Amino acid sequence: MDDNVVPQQIIKLLYDKSQDKKQQGCQQLKSLVQSYAQSGKELLIKQIIETLKIKFTSSSQLYLKRQGMFAIQTVAEILVKEFPQLAERCVKDLTQPILECLNDKEDKARQYAVECLLQLTKIMKTMILLNFNEIFDYQLGRSAEQDNQIVQAMFLLDAQLKTQVQIAVQERFSDPGKQCYFNLNSFMTQLQSKLKSRVTYVRQFLLGWIKVLNQCHNNDLYIYFPMILEGIFMMLGESNKEVRNGADLQANEFLKQVEIKVNLDQRVNEQIIEILLKICQMKGNQNNYAKLNSLLWIFEYLRVFQQELEEEQKGKLGLQHSTSQIKQEEYLRSNTSPISKNQMQQYLGGFESPLRKTILNSLSQILGPILILLSHEEEEIRKAAQKTNELLLKVMERVKNQSVEFMNIVPTIKEMLTDKKSNTAESALIWMKHLLETYSESLFPTIEDILTKLIDKLADSESAIVQNIMDVLANISMHSQYFEIVIDKILTMLHKNQEQSEKKGDQIFKKLCSLLNPQKVYFTITAKLLEIYSDNDVLFISNTVQTLTTLLISEKELQNLRNILRSLKHEKDEKQRQHNQEIFETLYRTFCYNSMSVITLCLLSEEYELAYNIIISFSEVEVNQYILLEIAQLINVLETPVFIFLRLQLLEYDSHPFLMKCLFGLMMLLPQGPAFNMLRQRLKNVSNTQIQSLQQEKKMETEEFLDIQKLLTQFRDIRLQCINQESKQKELN
């Protein structure tokens, strides 16, 4: 640099503390700049500014700093007024020396620097925005100033800069061909990094600028949301109320743009969704409000998409579009929309919208966090997650018939099935049920893995979620190749968890019978019990059969099976009778592992002679307290509505002699007690003549088609097997 670029005479005048001489020095400096500018000597002008920096603004003496600032203002004023193009190229040179003074240790020096920047802004107007990012950086660095005069000056500078930004943006809108000194893209990149700050006063300062930018761009910052949204959402957890409220207000203002601008750019949509999901998965209670707002945003995207689907349907039906759809189309056609005319025509012409692609491509990523938040400790978040999940399901229902594949969400659902929190797992089950109803064939390759996870969940779950698990298992079981596999896995689970098998088995079998063919369910369960457990765990068979018996005589879903058993002796059609007989004998084989269950089966089927012979056979074994308890339970069962027919048949003693013998036999087995007294009271009305008629053994029963002796032998063999197995078990213990 040429040290003589500024004559010593001017330097001396500027050094002088006399106001007149300083003004004289500034006047000579002005003339010097004019002469260089007229000659096109841009480099010499920049050297003048550098000389002023070295000799004045970098000085340790406050009055020299201030004089240097005045001199720089003089240079700026003459350049802007007479040589604007040259001034544009010198903006950084003119502002840099002043910005460096903002870091001075002395309060007065910083105050003068701010005031000088304010004057430069007024002189250069929108042109100063050519170095706005650097000015903003320094301004942000001083946002924590404590000195009142500096704070006031900073406030005025900030307001003036915001005004110039607004003017620059408006000029661009008014005349798109005119140069705009404000580079929004560059500033947004800078703003993105600054928004990571956790400092309260920095956040306040940034929110002020975001508000201004949104206003002066006519609420049209949507394409920049991926750069600033996360920072704003993080402010929602700020301890300072003013910052928190400001961020909340700004987030709500931005949310209003979603409905109109979601079809600008698929990539922008995906980036926003990614940010929202990231926030949903953040740890810590301080982020709860941010999570809640993220859910509201995700819900809004889904709501608009659902609305788009409805509009699509209206279009097919020739109906009028909604107001929101018309607004969106008007925006896409407007000059402010960044979407290309070709893109606009494609979208309005019925092509897949960016929003549609975004939602369908992001479904698996959205679903996981939503399912997890269904079990959040905060009720408001749980409700928002539930609302969003329900809307997701509605969206899936709407598009499932439009060749849309949802298989990419299967891994997410499978993972959520094993979640320890019931709300999450329960909703994952609902999703799996919907998928199975619609895409069962596509799911076949993963069914085995899904079954394993479901059965594991079934073992650990409370009763509320068991119902949903069974819904999914029933859907799988509807496919013949998986029916027996499902039954097999359920029995295996119950066998491993026998302490829960009675309560859980009752729920599981009841649900299976309500969703599938009860007869097929009973046949398969009883067959599997014999096939797998008859040689190693007759107690498990007995307990399971007892559960099946309780359901058989009490549940409305098994009404048809009860009717088949009751018609066993009354069916006239030979083919149907044989079918009914086969049903009875199939159940009988397994029910023999529980004495009271097999007697109940016989009584329900009006096979009173077989029942009587089984009761009489109790004389052949030791009757323990467990058998007596089961008999007492059977007496209670006979008082239920299902056995009204049996109680009325007591009046037809001539036709049903073995029924009377059965009941008297049961009463004789019981010790005197509540069950004994209940049965005795029931039989008390049988007169002596009726009893005498029994003694005459009038065989007026309906014709018997079953091989009573064969069935009785089968019962005795199974009972002996049970006794032997129990003895061996006791020896092992």
Side-chain angles (χ1 to χ4, degrees):
M1 185 184 73
D2 187 353
D3 291 338
N4 298 318
V5 69
V6 180
Q8 285 299 313
Q9 181 185 354
I10 296 177
I11 298 295
K12 286 180 181 180
L13 287 170
L14 292 174
Y15 268 167
D16 201 294
K17 292 184 178 181
S18 166
Q19 188 65 27
D20 290 341
K21 289 187 177 182
K22 282 191 289 186
Q23 288 180 352
Q24 186 180 351
C26 285
Q27 190 61 38
Q28 291 182 18
L29 179 64
K30 184 177 179 181
S31 299
L32 180 64
V33 171
Q34 279 179 314
S35 67
Y36 284 158
Q38 288 169 350
S39 303
K41 297 178 179 179
E42 181 180 332
L43 181 60
L44 291 178
I45 292 173
K46 290 188 175 184
Q47 287 180 355
I48 288 174
I49 299 170
E50 183 65 20
T51 299
L52 293 174
K53 172 185 173 182
I54 293 169
K55 293 187 178 292
F56 292 90
T57 61
S58 296
S59 171
S60 59
Q61 297 182 54
L62 183 61
Y63 87 94
L64 289 179
K65 284 181 182 291
R66 193 174 193 187
Q67 188 55 35
M69 294 177 195
F70 284 138
I72 289 173
Q73 284 178 220
T74 300
V75 175
E77 191 171 0
I78 189 63
L79 288 176
V80 171
K81 185 178 180 180
E82 299 183 17
F83 309 98
Q85 291 183 337
L86 181 55
E88 290 175 358
R89 298 194 291 274
C90 294
V91 170
K92 183 174 178 66
D93 303 273
L94 289 165
T95 54
Q96 190 61 37
I98 314 302
L99 291 173
E100 290 176 3
C101 291
L102 287 174
N103 293 328
D104 199 284
K105 293 179 181 179
E106 286 192 52
D107 289 350
K108 277 295 180 183
R110 297 198 302 278
Q111 179 189 335
Y112 294 154
V114 176
E115 291 171 349
C116 180
L117 270 177
L118 178 59
Q119 291 306 312
L120 280 175
T121 304
K122 291 178 179 179
I123 291 167
M124 306 180 80
K125 300 187 184 304
T126 58
M127 191 184 294
I128 200 168
L129 300 177
L130 288 170
N131 197 34
F132 176 69
N133 285 11
E134 196 165 357
I135 295 172
F136 184 82
D137 246 353
Y138 276 92
Q139 194 183 9
L140 186 62
R142 304 316 312 167
S143 57
E145 282 285 2
Q146 299 297 314
D147 184 275
N148 287 335
Q149 289 181 308
I150 299 177
V151 170
Q152 184 62 27
M154 289 287 290
F155 177 79
L156 294 173
L157 173 62
D158 189 54
Q160 186 60 226
L161 285 169
K162 286 174 179 174
T163 299
Q164 297 308 321
V165 168
Q166 288 173 314
I167 292 171
V169 173
Q170 289 305 316
E171 286 178 348
R172 187 194 68 182
F173 284 144
S174 301
D175 184 4
K178 185 178 179 180
Q179 179 186 4
C180 182
Y181 294 124
F182 180 63
N183 188 328
L184 182 59
N185 289 336
S186 174
F187 179 62
M188 280 299 183
T189 302
Q190 183 181 20
L191 192 60
Q192 183 180 18
S193 64
K194 302 301 180 187
L195 281 168
K196 295 176 182 177
S197 174
R198 297 292 185 266
V199 181
T200 297
Y201 58 80
V202 171
R203 285 177 160 180
Q204 285 178 313
F205 182 75
L206 296 174
L207 280 172
W209 271 98
I210 292 171
K211 181 180 179 181
V212 168
L213 289 172
N214 192 44
Q215 289 173 345
C216 70
H217 284 84
N218 298 321
N219 297 318
D220 200 8
L221 293 180
Y222 186 77
I223 61 173
Y224 296 104
F225 281 7
M227 304 175 78
I228 59 177
L229 203 58
E230 183 176 353
I232 292 173
F233 271 65
M234 288 299 92
M235 293 183 195
L236 295 173
E238 166 71 50
S239 57
N240 182 281
K241 185 178 180 180
E242 186 178 346
V243 172
R244 192 169 60 250
N245 290 345
D248 193 20
L249 183 64
Q250 194 58 63
N252 288 332
E253 284 297 316
F254 282 165
L255 182 58
K256 294 174 185 177
Q257 299 184 32
V258 169
E259 182 173 12
I260 300 174
K261 298 168 186 175
V262 285
N263 280 308
L264 295 181
D265 190 310
Q266 179 185 345
R267 181 59 188 149
V268 170
N269 290 342
E270 290 173 348
Q271 289 173 334
I272 293 173
I273 293 292
E274 187 178 337
I275 290 168
L276 297 174
L277 294 176
K278 177 182 176 183
I279 293 168
C280 283
Q281 297 173 83
M282 285 182 172
K283 307 295 183 183
N285 291 333
Q286 73 276 13
N287 294 315
N288 281 353
Y289 193 53
K291 289 179 185 177
L292 180 61
N293 273 268
S294 295
L295 284 171
L296 296 178
W297 273 66
I298 293 170
F299 181 85
E300 180 65 6
Y301 275 93
L302 293 170
R303 185 193 68 79
V304 177
F305 179 45
Q306 185 188 37
Q307 183 176 284
E308 187 177 291
L309 293 171
E310 291 172 355
E311 298 295 341
E312 183 181 294
Q313 185 63 29
K314 284 182 180 180
K316 291 177 181 177
L317 298 174
L319 300 176
Q320 187 177 359
H321 285 320
S322 67
T323 304
S324 60
Q325 182 75 358
I326 293 169
K327 283 182 180 178
Q328 189 176 122
E329 292 178 6
E330 286 175 353
Y331 176 74
L332 291 173
R333 290 190 176 98
S334 69
N335 291 329
T336 57
S337 168
I339 192 170
S340 71
K341 296 299 178 184
N342 183 51
Q343 288 175 306
M344 182 269 288
Q345 288 170 359
Q346 283 188 347
Y347 169 60
L348 297 180
F351 285 75
E352 277 200 339
S353 70
L355 176 61
R356 181 189 182 91
K357 292 177 182 177
T358 300
I359 297 299
L360 297 183
N361 290 347
S362 306
L363 192 59
S364 61
Q365 294 96 310
I366 293 173
L367 184 58
I370 298 302
L371 291 177
I372 290 172
L373 289 178
L374 286 168
S375 300
H376 196 275
E377 58 189 18
E378 192 168 308
E379 184 181 4
E380 198 170 1
I381 291 178
R382 290 199 304 273
K383 287 181 177 178
Q386 180 64 36
K387 188 177 176 183
T388 307
N389 183 56
E390 288 171 358
L391 186 53
L392 263 177
L393 282 167
K394 288 178 182 178
V395 167
M396 188 189 83
E397 284 296 309
R398 276 192 171 273
V399 299
K400 69 180 182 182
N401 296 323
Q402 300 179 18
S403 300
V404 177
E405 278 290 347
F406 287 93
M407 296 310 298
N408 59 335
I409 68 174
V410 172
T412 301
I413 296 174
K414 283 164 63 177
E415 182 182 353
M416 295 298 107
L417 285 174
T418 59
D419 196 275
K420 298 296 182 184
K421 296 173 181 175
S422 61
N423 287 352
T424 296
E426 188 172 352
S427 294
L429 285 165
I430 293 171
W431 272 94
M432 185 59 73
K433 178 185 175 184
H434 278 267
L435 286 179
L436 283 164
E437 289 173 350
T438 312
Y439 307 106
S440 55
E441 291 185 8
S442 301
L443 280 168
F444 280 167
T446 62
I447 286 290
E448 284 290 342
D449 188 35
I450 293 171
L451 272 176
T452 301
K453 291 183 183 296
L454 287 171
I455 296 298
D456 290 344
K457 194 70 185 177
L458 192 60
D460 299 333
S461 299
E462 297 298 324
S463 58
I465 202 170
V466 166
Q467 303 295 324
N468 287 317
I469 297 174
M470 292 312 303
D471 281 340
V472 179
L473 288 174
N475 269 287
I476 295 174
S477 302
M478 287 176 183
H479 302 277
S480 56
Q481 64 266 50
Y482 291 108
F483 181 83
E484 290 195 14
I485 296 174
V486 170
I487 298 295
D488 195 5
K489 287 183 177 292
I490 288 173
L491 290 175
T492 301
M493 182 277 296
L494 291 174
H495 186 252
K496 289 179 180 177
N497 301 273
Q498 290 197 41
E499 66 282 355
Q500 305 177 29
S501 65
E502 182 177 350
K503 179 183 177 182
K504 195 159 284 186
D506 179 81
Q507 281 184 281
I508 291 169
F509 298 147
K510 180 179 178 180
K511 192 68 176 176
L512 276 176
C513 289
S514 69
L515 297 171
L516 302 170
N517 183 324
Q519 184 177 316
K520 186 177 180 182
V521 171
Y522 264 62
F523 274 21
T524 307
I525 291 174
T526 52
K528 288 288 180 183
L529 286 171
L530 288 178
E531 177 187 340
I532 302 172
Y533 302 104
S534 60
D535 293 333
N536 54 61
D537 198 339
V538 294
L539 180 59
F540 175 64
I541 299 178
S542 176
N543 292 337
T544 305
V545 165
Q546 188 170 8
T547 300
L548 293 173
T549 305
T550 302
L551 293 175
L552 178 61
I553 61 177
S554 62
E555 296 304 321
K556 62 181 181 180
E557 291 83 3
L558 290 153
Q559 176 68 50
N560 188 52
L561 182 55
R562 289 197 295 270
N563 291 340
I564 290 173
L565 292 170
R566 277 207 58 198
S567 65
L568 181 62
K569 301 184 74 171
H570 308 289
E571 181 60 55
K572 303 300 182 183
D573 182 79
E574 177 67 19
K575 186 176 180 181
Q576 184 62 43
R577 185 187 60 74
Q578 288 180 353
H579 173 68
N580 294 353
Q581 183 175 330
E582 182 183 342
I583 291 174
F584 175 83
E585 291 179 352
T586 300
L587 295 177
Y588 179 86
R589 282 193 293 273
T590 309
F591 275 49
C592 282
Y593 282 86
N594 184 288
S595 299
M596 290 308 104
S597 291
V598 77
I599 292 173
T600 303
L601 178 67
C602 291
L603 294 177
L604 187 62
S605 308
E606 299 186 29
E607 289 295 336
Y608 301 135
E609 183 177 356
L610 178 58
Y612 172 70
N613 281 284
I614 291 172
I615 292 168
I616 293 300
S617 73
F618 278 102
S619 63
E620 302 168 7
V621 297
E622 181 181 349
V623 177
N624 56 37
Q625 60 180 355
Y626 298 109
I627 292 177
L628 293 176
L629 181 61
E630 287 179 353
I631 295 173
Q633 290 172 346
L634 174 58
I635 301 307
N636 287 318
V637 166
L638 294 178
E639 294 296 320
T640 62
V642 171
F643 283 100
I644 286 177
F645 76 90
L646 180 146
R647 299 197 295 272
L648 290 173
Q649 285 176 353
L650 291 174
L651 301 175
E652 302 171 354
Y653 51 89
D654 288 334
S655 298
H656 307 287
F658 281 105
L659 170 58
M660 296 294 292
K661 288 188 175 185
C662 283
L663 297 182
F664 274 107
L666 290 172
M667 189 170 69
M668 292 303 106
L669 287 173
L670 283 169
Q672 294 191 28
F676 176 87
N677 292 331
M678 184 187 298
L679 184 55
R680 184 178 65 173
Q681 187 65 33
R682 176 65 69 183
L683 297 174
K684 191 175 182 181
N685 294 326
V686 180
S687 65
N688 290 332
T689 56
Q690 292 169 342
I691 296 174
Q692 288 172 4
S693 68
L694 289 177
Q695 293 170 349
Q696 295 171 15
E697 295 186 4
K698 296 180 180 178
K699 296 188 181 293
M700 298 179 64
E701 293 263 8
T702 309
E703 183 182 358
E704 185 61 69
F705 296 103
L706 297 176
D707 187 338
I708 300 294
Q709 287 305 313
K710 176 185 173 183
L711 293 171
L712 184 61
T713 301
Q714 189 176 42
F715 170 75
R716 284 178 168 139
D717 291 344
I718 290 174
R719 184 173 61 189
L720 182 61
Q721 177 195 356
C722 293
I723 292 171
N724 292 336
Q725 197 174 119
E726 287 172 7
S727 299
K728 289 179 181 179
Q729 189 64 41
K730 286 179 182 178
E731 290 175 6
L732 290 173
N733 293 337

